[in-house]
Amino acid sequence: FSNRAMAYIKLNRFQKAEDDCNSALQLSPTHVKSIQRRAKCRLSLGKLRAALIDISEAKKLEPFSKEIEKDYCKVKDELTLTMKSCPKTKVDIEWNLSE
C-alpha cells in the first residue's frame, strides 16, 4: 500500500494516496514511510492539523531523518502562513508534540 501511495502522490492523487497510507498503517502502525507519506497527502489536501500530527509522529520515530525534518518545516511553514492569513481566528497549536 505504501509504495502505491507514493505512486499516487506523484500523480497528485492525494486522497487515493492518503487512503493507501491508512491501509498500510492498519497493517503496520509505525511504518515511518507511510506516516510521512500520509502527512504529505494531508498537507496537499489542506488537512494541516492532521499533517502536523503525522509528521511529528514520523519525527519521533526517526528523529535524525533530514527528509522528515524538511517535511516538518514545510508543515510548520504552511500552518504559520494559514494563521497569518486568518488573523481573526484564534488558533492554538503546540509545536512540540513530543510530550
Side-chain angles (χ1 to χ4, degrees):
F1 290 107
S2 187
N3 289 338
R4 187 170 66 181
M6 188 64 209
Y8 281 136
I9 289 169
K10 289 182 179 191
L11 295 170
N12 295 327
R13 297 180 68 189
F14 300 110
Q15 186 58 59
K16 286 239 184 224
E18 182 186 15
D19 294 343
D20 274 357
C21 289
N22 288 335
S23 296
L25 290 166
Q26 284 180 343
L27 298 172
S28 180
T30 59
H31 188 251
V32 176
K33 285 185 179 181
S34 296
I35 296 168
Q36 182 182 11
R37 289 172 182 167
R38 186 171 69 178
K40 288 181 181 186
C41 295
R42 289 177 166 179
L43 178 62
S44 295
L45 293 168
K47 300 176 181 180
L48 302 181
R49 184 180 171 116
L52 179 63
I53 291 168
D54 280 345
I55 203 61
S56 296
E57 180 65 22
K59 193 173 176 181
K60 276 194 265 183
L61 293 169
E62 286 195 20
F64 303 108
S65 169
K66 292 182 186 216
E67 186 179 347
I68 290 173
E69 182 63 33
K70 182 180 164 186
D71 288 346
Y72 181 79
C73 290
K74 280 184 191 178
V75 172
K76 278 180 49 176
D77 290 346
E78 188 65 33
L79 277 165
T80 300
L81 285 173
T82 299
M83 290 187 310
K84 285 181 180 179
S85 68
C86 302
K88 293 182 181 179
T89 303
K90 182 179 179 185
V91 178
D92 185 23
I93 297 175
E94 185 170 324
W95 294 111
N96 184 1
L97 299 177
S98 61
E99 298 176 2

